[in-house]
Amino acid sequence: MTENTAYNTLEALFNKISNLNHLANMAHWDAATMMPPGGSEARGQALAEVSALVNELVSDNLTGELIEQAEQGKDLLSDWQQANLREMRRQWFNASCVTSELVKAQAVASSRCENAWRKLRAENNWQDFQPLLMEVVNLVREQAAMRSEASGLSAYDSLLELYEPGQRSNNIDRIFNQLKAFLPGFVENTVQRQAGETLIHPAGGFPERKQKALALELMEIVGFDFRHGRLDKSHHPFCGGVPDDVRLTTRYNEEDFTESLMGVLHETGHAKYEQGLPRDWRTQPVGRARGMGIHESQSLFQEMQVCRSLPFLRFAAPIMRKHLHNDATPAGCWDAENLFRLNNRVKPDYIRVNADEATYPLHVILRYEMEKDLIEGKLQVADIPEVWDQKMQEYLGLSTRDNYKDGCMQDIHWTHGMMGYFPTYTLGAMNAAQLYQAADKAIPGLAEMIGRGDFSALNEWQSKAIWSWGSYHGIDELMRQATGETLNPEHFIRHLQTRFAAD
């Protein structure tokens, strides 16, 4: 059979790009965990060079010509190679829409903004943060304009395409409006009902080393492969690295161990997805995760669908007690039912990452609406605190006036210029509920398996349904194949009604 030499050349090129991204990912992880403060400027410049180099390699005219040549001989390619070529074209198009100069300028501005944010957020200093964020937003607007002109999409949809291919804001508006109609009344009723519950709080004073030991044990039980990953500490929890070397981070609150533990289990869901991606295609575009909504579905599948469930907590309670019990801990606090009530409180709060799963979508909707208006020029950076406060009062009944660190400065995403990303969190929550309900139908006795700490069948199901496919399928087809239908918000609503139902 005649070879498709253009395609072979492309595979070699994208393997090189994967290696460069590998090193950049590790440099980002080091910057968040190990790097001394004085290294930030130089690290930002180095990462900017790598970002520009990768963009140049992907967007080069020769790359586009090779893609066209390879497409002419696609009949010589296997199904996976054809899917890989499709993803190569998508990456080339996304990269060729913007100039390397803009990519480099964004990397420098984002690095400067993020490093300042770490200090300025702690100081509640919006005044000094605002001009740094304004520089980032202006560059993102410039990027969106370029992408919009090339794609024919709206400015915001052209950014959304980077994180959730095929998704459009008019569809997100429809889905989020359905949630906005349901959630406020549901949250109010649940808060009132839970007010009558008896809670036994474990005594504070949970040393970081004990929390980490607990996290490591549970990570291994649910299926994290420590031969290809590790857990560290950072200012903002994340999952990074590459499939063969996944880097998780968390932060610790010695008065509340659940904050770190559930965060670790959340990131472990991301990590298991990365570790489960198709091994033969990991350096190629088709071997990457299929969009951030699917990625987030895997973290929320692990955290919300599984690890906050009563069967899991019945299994995990003795392990938690083993690591964390002290003489001041009241009797009954380690009972699974008590842990379930503690880990499933519905309470409007300021901080998105600490929000319960009923109020969390409202945090996301707030950010989605604001960033869309920022990109479209309907909202200016200087007005962010005021609008944030208005929406927090409307959606969650809380005011963030003059409280920037717990309001508009709490997230790292906008410092990175990651606009179009936030809606994927709630799309992921809905995907997770739909996927878990499909798994529950497919695996007899799933709850009982979780209750005895046996995750083998569930991990195998997730691997066959999601992980092993990488980006072979589009999002809709992947969900249809796994669950029998495309994303349907009713599954998420049903999950909330079941989880928070009155006894």
Side-chain angles (χ1 to χ4, degrees):
M1 179 183 291
T2 304
E3 288 191 0
N4 189 324
T5 55
Y7 174 80
N8 293 338
T9 302
L10 285 166
E11 270 205 359
L13 172 64
F14 277 90
N15 184 68
K16 178 179 181 179
I17 290 167
S18 175
N19 288 333
L20 290 170
N21 284 328
H22 180 152
L23 294 176
N25 286 338
M26 291 306 168
H28 278 296
W29 167 83
D30 176 77
T33 58
M34 303 288 186
M35 187 184 72
S40 62
E41 188 69 26
R43 180 65 54 85
Q45 292 290 341
L47 285 170
E49 289 288 354
V50 175
S51 296
L53 176 58
V54 168
N55 189 72
E56 288 168 2
L57 289 171
V58 178
S59 63
D60 192 277
N61 288 335
L62 177 59
T63 303
E65 292 170 5
L66 286 168
I67 290 171
E68 288 185 4
Q69 293 172 25
E71 288 173 340
Q72 292 172 9
K74 67 180 181 180
D75 290 345
L76 300 173
L77 303 178
S78 69
D79 290 346
W80 272 88
Q81 288 173 324
Q82 289 187 37
N84 193 35
L85 183 58
R86 179 199 68 218
E87 292 302 305
M88 287 174 175
R89 173 167 283 284
R90 190 174 72 83
Q91 286 197 19
W92 173 80
F93 178 80
N94 285 336
S96 63
C97 289
V98 296
T99 64
S100 294
E101 291 77 14
L102 178 59
V103 171
K104 188 172 181 178
Q106 285 186 292
V108 171
S110 296
S111 178
R112 185 183 301 120
C113 188
E114 179 192 341
N115 285 301
W117 168 80
R118 297 179 189 282
K119 175 177 180 289
L120 296 175
R121 184 197 173 206
E123 297 173 351
N124 198 43
N125 186 347
W126 167 258
Q127 182 176 354
D128 289 341
F129 180 68
Q130 179 183 320
L132 297 170
L133 180 61
M134 186 179 299
E135 182 181 8
V136 172
V137 170
N138 285 339
L139 289 169
V140 176
R141 286 170 171 166
E142 187 177 343
Q143 177 197 170
M146 290 181 182
R147 294 190 182 283
S148 177
E149 182 178 0
S151 65
L153 299 173
S154 71
Y156 185 78
D157 282 355
S158 73
L159 298 177
L160 185 62
E161 181 72 13
L162 298 174
Y163 305 107
E164 194 73 352
Q167 186 62 267
R168 300 291 179 262
S169 56
N170 60 356
N171 189 50
I172 293 178
D173 290 342
R174 177 185 61 80
I175 293 170
F176 283 5
N177 285 339
Q178 187 173 349
L179 291 182
K180 284 168 67 174
F182 165 75
L183 286 172
F186 177 79
V187 167
E188 183 179 359
N189 291 337
T190 305
V191 168
Q192 291 177 358
R193 184 184 62 79
Q194 289 186 341
E197 294 180 344
T198 300
L199 299 174
I200 306 172
H201 292 274
F206 303 110
E208 183 178 314
R209 61 180 176 80
K210 291 187 176 183
Q211 291 191 54
K212 184 173 183 178
L214 169 62
L216 293 174
E217 181 170 350
L218 289 178
M219 286 172 68
E220 186 168 19
I221 287 170
V222 301
F224 182 79
D225 183 359
F226 280 100
R227 297 170 303 170
H228 295 286
R230 56 181 288 141
L231 173 67
D232 291 281
K233 180 181 176 181
S234 71
H235 187 72
H236 190 90
F238 66 88
C239 172
V242 295
D244 289 307
D245 187 3
V246 183
R247 304 301 177 94
L248 304 190
T249 72
T250 189
R251 59 188 177 201
Y252 297 97
N253 178 350
E254 296 199 347
E255 297 304 311
D256 180 6
F257 74 91
T258 63
E259 181 178 326
S260 173
L261 179 60
M262 288 301 167
V264 167
L265 292 169
H266 176 98
E267 301 302 337
T268 299
H270 282 303
K272 287 165 61 179
Y273 185 16
E274 288 291 316
Q275 292 180 337
L277 289 170
R279 182 164 296 280
D280 292 342
W281 296 96
R282 287 183 175 181
T283 66
Q284 296 297 311
V286 76
R288 298 178 63 180
R290 176 74 291 172
M292 293 314 302
I294 295 296
H295 221 313
E296 193 63 20
S297 79
Q298 299 308 288
S299 61
L300 293 172
F301 189 104
Q302 185 71 68
E303 178 196 358
M304 295 297 185
Q305 299 295 319
V306 175
C307 293
R308 290 184 189 264
S309 71
L310 189 54
F312 178 81
L313 291 169
R314 283 175 176 151
F315 163 75
I319 301 174
M320 295 180 189
R321 189 183 194 283
K322 176 185 70 174
H323 285 283
L324 301 177
H325 184 72
N326 58 57
D327 293 339
T329 305
C333 75
W334 300 114
D335 291 346
E337 289 73 12
N338 182 62
L339 290 170
F340 178 79
R341 290 191 292 269
L342 288 172
N343 280 283
N344 290 283
R345 306 300 293 167
V346 174
K347 180 182 178 182
D349 199 283
Y350 295 101
I351 305 299
R352 174 187 61 85
V353 296
N354 296 338
D356 58 85
E357 61 180 330
T359 59
Y360 193 101
L362 296 171
H363 286 269
V364 169
I365 291 169
L366 176 152
R367 289 155 174 79
Y368 162 70
E369 292 174 344
M370 289 186 67
E371 69 180 18
K372 189 165 66 164
D373 284 349
L374 276 170
I375 295 304
E376 294 174 353
K378 299 176 183 177
L379 175 65
Q380 302 306 316
V381 171
D383 298 322
I384 286 176
E386 180 182 357
V387 176
W388 189 288
D389 178 55
Q390 291 171 356
K391 288 183 178 291
M392 280 292 289
Q393 292 192 54
E394 179 183 354
Y395 296 162
L396 292 162
L398 300 170
S399 174
T400 57
R401 183 169 298 279
D402 298 327
N403 181 8
Y404 310 115
K405 65 182 179 64
D406 294 331
C408 59
M409 289 181 70
Q410 67 181 267
D411 297 303
I412 201 170
H413 303 63
W414 288 350
T415 72
H416 282 173
M418 295 169 65
M419 296 186 176
Y421 188 107
F422 271 122
T424 67
Y425 284 119
T426 290
L427 295 173
M430 292 185 287
N431 285 330
Q434 188 165 326
L435 287 165
Y436 185 83
Q437 289 167 35
D440 193 41
K441 291 178 181 177
I443 304 172
L446 177 58
E448 290 76 11
M449 291 181 187
I450 293 172
R452 59 177 184 267
D454 180 359
F455 291 89
S456 56
L458 184 56
N459 287 335
E460 182 180 358
W461 185 90
Q462 286 181 270
S463 177
K464 290 180 178 178
I466 301 294
W467 304 341
S468 64
W469 288 106
S471 287
Y472 181 88
H473 293 301
I475 294 170
D476 283 350
E477 179 57 29
L478 186 64
M479 287 297 291
R480 188 182 293 110
Q481 177 179 272
T483 71
E485 61 180 321
T486 58
L487 177 60
N488 181 353
E490 291 298 330
H491 294 285
F492 179 63
I493 291 173
R494 187 183 309 119
H495 161 69
L496 293 180
Q497 290 169 330
T498 301
R499 169 135 316 166
F500 299 103
D503 296 333

